[in-house]
Amino acid sequence: MSKSTRYLLVSLPTTISPSNDRDEALTALRSAVTTDYGTVLPFPIPEFKIATLDALVQQADDLAKLEGTCEAVVSKVGDSLKAILEGDESKIADQKTVNDKPVDQYIRSFHWNKVKYRADKPLAELINMLQKEVTSIDNDVKAQYNHGNLSNKSLTAIVDPSLIIQDSEYLETHLVAVPNQQIKDFLKSYETVSPMIVPRSGLLIDSDEEFTLYAVTTFKKHSQEFIHKCREHRWTPREFERKEGGNEEEKKEIDKVSKDEKKLWGVALRLGRTGWGEAVMAYIHVLALRVFVETVLRYGLPLQFVCGLVQTTPKLVKKARGSLDASYSYLAGNAFGRDKKGRITKDDSSTSADMQAAGHMGDGGDYSAYVCYEFEIN
């Protein structure tokens, strides 16, 4: 999977070819883009059951929101994989597959999954099914990765017992989990939240994505007041006791925690790999539905269109779109004004608002004369 890949999903009426033939229309699309700016591949989309025009306009809006959700979930699961594999790009790439295929291969060879998302179902039902699936993936990932942080998990393998004051008549060490966004406030104020705190005793023990663990030493007679003040500031006091039996018992506890963490790591990795693939699959199917709905709204019935996938790069995507604009701006008819070179002008705010309300505007609010959605997956 390459980070330098950008995709365009383009739908055009088959009337762009003299014969009105779908294959010839795809050839015309290839000629418009040219190999200088990208590779054009067929992107077959079934003809779905449609309802009323009002329903289609609402579905266009629903799909736009769902696409944003899909993109966020794909990114979130990707971040989880990155954390599990400690940023190793090679290992991360190995885990990012869809149906056991590299993501580029899956997108380039896309066919609607008629088993998972039956094409004979109404559009509204398919959209609802995809919404539930994406929500489920998001919830599963949240549940799996929320298996503990420094405010609640075992500290046996984290805290060196030598850092804890033992058997002192007057002093006591407290462990405090501080939310990361409150670290500056904690360091400025922990010495003064209660009496008899040993100056500069705050010692950083460990940190994770949510909390940082500190050790603070106080006089015993003020320990309870310090703990109370910590809770008031929403710093979490943590208890830590040495295991009876000395080093041997501590070693057993550490070994147990280590085994548990390895088990959780394996489960998290499997879930991350599966979740990422399923999220990407849902994302591409949502894009396919967006293209279909927009095609019906834009070109009307009966449906005679061809959809192509343009695989390009971030540097060439503007040129690819410019070439498409030059070839197919006439499809806008008289909806927009044109400059001296025949190009569509985009400063007609009232017309733009009408087109956007009808579902005919791109993601950035810019109108194009043809159906086109740009995306990338990292």
Side-chain angles (χ1 to χ4, degrees):
M1 181 179 56
S2 172
K3 288 187 176 181
S4 60
T5 301
R6 190 73 58 88
Y7 299 99
L8 299 173
L9 269 181
V10 181
S11 172
L12 295 161
T14 53
T15 55
I16 63 170
S17 71
S19 65
N20 206 31
D21 178 76
R22 183 170 291 180
D23 290 337
E24 288 190 16
L26 185 64
T27 300
L29 174 57
R30 286 192 175 106
S31 298
V33 175
T34 77
T35 54
D36 292 336
Y37 303 143
T39 303
V40 178
L41 299 157
F43 193 90
I45 297 177
E47 292 190 15
F48 301 100
K49 291 181 180 180
I50 58 176
T52 64
L53 176 61
D54 286 346
L56 279 173
V57 172
Q58 181 59 52
Q59 287 161 357
D61 185 52
D62 292 342
L63 285 165
K65 294 175 183 175
L66 183 53
E67 182 191 343
T69 301
C70 289
E71 191 174 358
V73 172
V74 170
S75 177
K76 189 184 297 183
V77 182
D79 287 343
S80 298
L81 281 172
K82 185 175 182 180
I84 292 168
L85 296 170
E86 299 180 342
D88 189 318
E89 293 295 339
S90 176
K91 290 180 180 178
I92 294 168
D94 288 342
Q95 299 299 321
K96 287 186 172 181
T97 60
V98 186
N99 283 349
D100 296 322
K101 297 178 182 176
V103 66
D104 287 350
Q105 184 182 339
Y106 172 77
I107 295 171
R108 287 169 62 95
S109 60
F110 175 82
H111 281 81
W112 185 269
N113 189 333
K114 294 181 180 180
V115 175
K116 193 170 187 179
Y117 314 108
R118 285 177 50 185
D120 60 346
K121 290 185 177 292
L123 270 175
E125 193 171 331
L126 286 170
I127 294 170
N128 185 53
M129 184 187 307
L130 283 159
Q131 284 174 330
K132 288 181 177 178
E133 181 179 8
V134 173
T135 300
S136 177
I137 294 168
D138 191 25
N139 289 338
D140 286 348
V141 171
K142 284 178 181 176
Q144 179 58 44
Y145 290 101
N146 189 26
H147 55 248
N149 56 49
L150 287 170
S151 73
N152 53 35
K153 69 180 182 181
S154 171
L155 300 179
T156 303
I158 296 170
V159 178
D160 182 351
S162 67
L163 300 176
I164 308 297
I165 294 176
Q166 303 287 333
D167 304 322
S168 170
E169 184 178 354
Y170 300 107
L171 298 177
E172 186 171 17
T173 302
H174 300 276
L175 295 173
V176 184
V178 181
N180 288 337
Q181 63 269 26
Q182 295 187 36
I183 290 175
K184 287 184 179 180
D185 178 59
F186 171 80
L187 293 175
K188 286 181 181 178
S189 60
Y190 81 88
E191 294 179 358
T192 58
V193 294
S194 69
M196 306 293 284
I197 295 172
V198 177
R200 299 182 184 178
S201 63
L203 177 65
L204 191 154
I205 303 294
D206 198 7
S207 63
D208 58 27
E209 292 183 357
E210 298 176 74
F211 289 86
T212 297
L213 186 69
Y214 287 91
V216 177
T217 302
T218 71
F219 279 76
K220 281 186 175 182
K221 65 179 182 178
H222 291 286
S223 286
Q224 290 306 311
E225 185 176 355
F226 175 74
I227 291 171
H228 176 70
K229 290 296 183 181
C230 283
R231 291 196 174 108
E232 281 188 356
H233 284 78
R234 296 189 178 180
W235 308 332
T236 304
R238 296 299 316 276
E239 292 186 6
F240 178 82
E241 295 181 4
R242 293 194 66 168
K243 290 285 181 181
E244 292 184 9
N247 294 333
E248 186 177 342
E249 288 299 316
E250 285 178 4
K251 185 176 183 303
K252 287 180 181 179
E253 178 71 11
I254 290 171
D255 288 343
K256 181 180 180 299
V257 171
S258 179
K259 287 178 182 177
D260 289 345
E261 287 182 346
K262 286 178 181 178
K263 183 178 178 181
L264 286 170
W265 185 90
V267 172
L269 181 61
R270 287 193 295 275
L271 180 68
R273 179 175 62 241
T274 303
W276 193 87
E278 290 179 349
V280 170
M281 184 188 297
Y283 184 18
I284 302 304
H285 280 77
V286 167
L287 283 168
L289 285 179
R290 284 202 78 183
V291 170
F292 177 81
V293 169
E294 176 70 4
T295 295
V296 177
L297 289 170
R298 186 73 66 93
Y299 307 138
L301 299 172
L303 278 172
Q304 293 179 311
F305 73 101
V306 63
C307 183
L309 175 77
V310 181
Q311 184 175 3
T312 182
T313 67
K315 289 184 178 180
L316 294 176
V317 68
K318 286 186 179 180
K319 292 183 178 179
R321 295 195 74 152
S323 183
L324 288 166
D325 288 341
S327 298
Y328 301 118
S329 62
Y330 69 88
L331 292 172
N334 296 319
F336 278 70
R338 298 173 186 274
D339 61 20
K340 293 180 181 179
K341 294 183 179 180
R343 295 174 299 196
I344 297 171
T345 57
K346 301 179 180 179
D347 57 355
D348 188 335
S349 58
S350 61
T351 307
S352 295
D354 291 341
M355 297 297 284
Q356 191 163 20
H360 296 317
M361 301 297 285
D363 294 329
D366 287 338
Y367 176 79
S368 63
Y370 50 91
V371 178
C372 183
Y373 290 102
E374 181 178 330
F375 70 98
E376 63 182 344
I377 296 178
N378 294 322

